[in-house]
Every structure is written in C-alpha cells, then in structure tokens.
Amino acid sequence: MKTTLTIIKADVGSIGGHICPSAQLVNRIKEFVSNEGRRLVLDSYIGFTGDDIAIFVTHTRGVGDHDVHEMAWNAFVAGTAVAKEQGLYGAGQDLLKDAFSGNIRGLGPAVAEMEIDERPNEPFLFFAADKTDPGAFNLPLYLAFADPMYCPGLILSPKMGKGFRFVIMDVEHTGEDRVIELNAPENLYDIATLLRDNERFVVEAIYSRVTGEQAAVISTSRLHNIAGTYTGKDDPVMLVRTQSSFPATGEVLAPFGIGHFVAGGMRGSHTVPLMPVALNCPTSYFDGPPLITCAAFCVHNGKLTEPADAFSHPFWNHVRDKVARKTLEIREQGFSGAAMLPMSELEYTGVVEKLNVLETQFYLRKEKLAAVSG
Ligand code: F6R
Ligand code: MG
Ligand code: MG
C-alpha cells in the first residue's frame, strides 16, 4: 500500500515568550485535525518541540496535496485565534501570508512529506527541531548515511553496501528549486564540501542505492527567504525510515550524541549546540539551546503506533549535560567571533543599521592630518 507521511509544523504562539504553546492551543489544533481531517487522513499525531506545534498525518493522497495542506493551514489559523484570545506571544508568527493558496510550502510552516510503499514492517523517525535551521541536519545525516564510523551498517550489511544518494538544495537560491544529486560513497568529498556550509546547502532527501527507496526527507524552507525579514528561525522537521536497507534506528540517533554547534538560539543569531530532548519539551536558556525531539513510530496500512520517545532514555541525560556545558562555554564569549553568526545570518537588522551610521564616522588619518595642517 502507498502511504503518504506528511508533517507540517508552525509556531503560532507561545507562553512566556518563545517557550512552548499553551495546552489550550495544542488542544484546539488536535480537535481541529480530528474533526476536519476525518475525511482526509488515516491517522494523526500532534506534538510540540519548544514553541512549535507539529501536525503529523498519514493519508493516501500523495505529497503536496491541496486538501491536506489546507486542512493543516486552517488548523494553525484556528490555533492562532486561541493564541490571540490567550494573549500568547507571537500569535500566528509563522503564518506569513494572509490566505492559503494551493500548497502550504512558501507560506511559512515547515513541511516534510514522503510517499512510501509500506514495507511489511515500517519503522521510521520523526525529528523536529526548534531555534535552528535545516542545515542542523546536515552533519547527522552525513554521518548516519555516509560514514561507517557512525553507521557500521554501511560495511556490515549487504543491504546497504551500495550506499545512498543525497539530494542537496541550495537554499540561498530563491524562486525555482536549485538542487544537486550526489552519491555516497563515490562523491563523499563533494558531499562534504557542500554540507560544511549549513546555511546554504541543505540535505533535502536521501535514497537507497540498493532498492531506490526514499530513506529521508527534510523541510528546507528558509523563513527569511520567504518573508525577506526576520520572522524566527526555520525550526526544521524531518522523517527518516530505518532498519533493513536503511540505517538502524540507533545509527540514525548516534550522531545526535555529538551535540554539534548549529545556527540558532537567542534571536536566531548565535552558534549554540543542538540538545536532544524529550517530546513536548519547552525552550529555556538563552532562548535555546536549540532543541531536537525524535518520535519513533511504526506505520501499517496508514495506522500509526503510539510514539516511542527516542531521546527520553537515560543515556541522553549525559549528552544533555555535555551540551549544557558546551552551551555555557560558548556563551562566555558573548557577541565575539564564532559565538554570534556572520552578518548574512543575523536575524535582526540592528547591527547593519549601526554599521551604516558608523561608516559615516570613519576617516582616513592622512587626509584628516592634511586638512588640519593645511
Ligand atoms: C524566536 C527567537 C527568540 C526571539 C527573542 C526576541 O524564534 O529566536 O530568541 O528572537 O526572544 O524576540 P522579540 O524580538 O519578539 O522580542
Ligand atoms: Mg518562536
Ligand atoms: Mg520555534
């Protein structure tokens, strides 16, 4: 059976700043999806990561389906009404356009969806990150799908022996999608050359080179490219199928033990490590640290199991401690150097405005001396 897995995620308001949505807001979205989604979807799961609510639905309508996208958009509009009633911060923040038009892509919410031929048993992982951008997934995906140091299946399992095909998007390019397809292991150095630049080149999808099946899909939208101005970080989502001809669940999770530095945190403008946390975890220190949740599921005939919370295991407490340490260490240097993102990635205009004023106050010492003496 062909099943479509669709995740659509947005921040439409949160408590106490950018911490987490209110229970009333989450319940409104759940209620909306269960009523309005009834004729469209086979199953659904609603959860949050920091201040973002994810609507995850299964159906048979294929990717980019008008009605499914419109239902999710309307659910977020209904949620925004609750957020406004409750005076939540940033009500409707990620709904960047006034009305739904055909497809939710480009309207603000993050979208990751994949149509699959269900295997007899179909395990997969649903990741959602807050306070960061889609480049945060570059390193974990490279390590899980192309590096036997993290994914021993690449050398142990004949089902993965030919490696994987990476589809990488140039997210700085606006208008038409600009993508490149590269094979691991042959093009490993080319893949690494692109993926080192997390703000420009982003993994969009990965395919098995043994079966041709799609293994992963990632939301690639950059909010500042849509809005042309600061509207919050992109807070990406991704789906990764696991086991058999794909990396094992543990191989996909392993790179998140690094707590690698990503773009995000306070005002979307800093370099902070990514912290794996339990489902429905709020945001905190320095409007961060950037969070990642992982709900593991199986799906059969479109019906989902309950989620297993992949980062709730005690092992991850140790990783969280390490990430907290790394966060405090880089925060010690405040705005200096690597701690704050480069000019092109700053999500507020203050620095540019100040530099424009300061520019007029610079002078050439030689000319000034000549003017004074002459
Ligand atoms: C929101 C975010 C936050 C805000 C910060 C200031 O996604 O990253 O760090 O940028 O809380 O928010 P404003 O400018 O709305 O007061
Ligand atoms: Mg927010
Ligand atoms: Mg968010």
Side-chain angles (χ1 to χ4, degrees):
M1 157 173 180
K2 272 203 192 302
T3 302
T4 314
L5 309 175
T6 298
I7 303 172
I8 302 182
K9 186 234 62 160
D11 173 358
V12 291
S14 44
I15 303 176
H18 293 277
I19 290 197
C20 64
S22 66
Q24 213 172 307
L25 167 51
V26 176
N27 287 339
R28 179 70 187 107
I29 289 184
K30 280 186 182 162
E31 176 192 72
F32 191 97
V33 172
S34 92
N35 292 339
E36 305 297 320
R38 193 170 299 136
R39 69 183 175 86
L40 298 173
V41 307
L42 297 169
D43 209 348
S44 65
Y45 165 80
I46 315 286
F48 67 88
T49 304
D51 57 13
D52 304 314
I53 300 179
I55 298 175
F56 172 30
V57 291
T58 62
H59 54 97
T60 53
R61 306 172 65 93
V63 300
D65 181 71
H66 174 284
D67 293 4
V68 171
H69 283 213
E70 187 174 40
M71 188 273 296
W73 174 267
N74 289 337
F76 286 126
V77 170
T80 299
V82 171
K84 285 186 176 155
E85 273 161 36
Q86 290 195 293
L88 299 190
Y89 196 66
Q93 176 190 282
D94 284 354
L95 306 184
L96 301 182
K97 307 282 166 168
D98 294 332
F100 179 77
S101 59
N103 188 306
I104 209 162
R105 274 179 207 278
L107 305 185
V111 186
E113 47 186 353
M114 167 159 40
E115 186 175 49
I116 59 169
D117 274 312
E118 275 186 16
R119 297 170 289 172
N121 41 62
E122 185 61 64
F124 67 93
L125 304 173
F126 156 33
F127 290 93
D130 185 34
K131 304 287 184 263
T132 188
D133 58 28
F137 294 140
N138 280 0
L139 180 65
L141 289 171
Y142 173 86
L143 296 175
F145 283 90
D147 186 347
M149 292 283 284
Y150 282 77
C151 181
L154 293 168
I155 52 177
L156 293 174
S157 167
K159 290 183 183 166
M160 290 165 61
K162 281 202 216 150
F164 291 88
R165 176 165 58 93
F166 284 67
V167 183
I168 297 171
M169 181 180 274
D170 174 359
V171 292
E172 282 297 310
H173 187 85
T174 46
E176 288 299 304
D177 292 351
R178 186 163 186 265
V179 296
I180 185 170
E181 299 188 19
L182 293 168
N183 287 331
E186 296 90 315
N187 309 127
L188 215 49
Y189 293 172
D190 296 329
I191 294 172
T193 300
L194 295 177
L195 297 190
R196 60 161 287 283
D197 188 349
N198 293 329
E199 311 322 313
R200 173 151 187 206
F201 299 111
V202 169
V203 181
E204 179 194 55
I206 300 176
Y207 294 83
S208 162
R209 294 176 66 203
V210 174
T211 66
E213 291 173 297
Q214 186 167 5
V217 66
I218 298 92
S219 66
T220 50
S221 59
R222 300 280 332 257
L223 288 179
H224 75 248
N225 292 348
I226 301 172
T229 174
Y230 177 78
T231 48
K233 268 274 169 257
D234 314 299
D235 303 343
V237 286
M238 74 170 169
L239 284 165
V240 182
R241 297 165 79 192
T242 61
Q243 307 292 151
S244 193
S245 52
F246 303 126
T249 293
E251 288 168 333
V252 177
L253 296 178
F256 291 97
I258 298 171
H260 64 301
F261 287 99
V262 298
M266 179 56 68
R267 298 182 186 274
S269 302
H270 292 83
T271 303
V272 196
L274 186 65
M275 182 181 276
V277 295
L279 299 175
N280 303 320
C281 177
T283 303
S284 180
Y285 174 77
F286 201 58
D287 285 0
L291 307 177
I292 175 120
T293 58
C294 177
F297 288 97
C298 278
V299 62
H300 189 60
N301 295 331
K303 280 277 164 214
L304 295 168
T305 58
E306 71 275 27
D309 188 343
F311 292 136
S312 66
H313 187 279
F315 171 84
W316 297 97
N317 293 337
H318 170 71
V319 173
R320 284 188 273 276
D321 288 346
K322 177 175 82 165
V323 171
R325 253 193 330 272
K326 288 174 74 167
T327 304
L328 291 169
E329 277 170 17
I330 194 153
R331 287 310 315 137
E332 282 175 8
Q333 68 177 68
F335 58 79
S336 181
M340 194 180 268
L341 292 175
M343 289 280 293
S344 56
E345 290 300 321
L346 296 181
E347 302 276 12
Y348 284 74
T349 54
V351 167
V352 175
E353 285 163 21
K354 283 185 186 57
L355 282 176
N356 286 343
V357 173
L358 294 172
E359 211 37 58
T360 64
Q361 298 173 24
F362 273 92
Y363 60 86
L364 296 174
R365 184 169 287 139
K366 214 171 171 184
E367 281 179 9
K368 183 141 183 179
L369 283 176
V372 170
S373 63

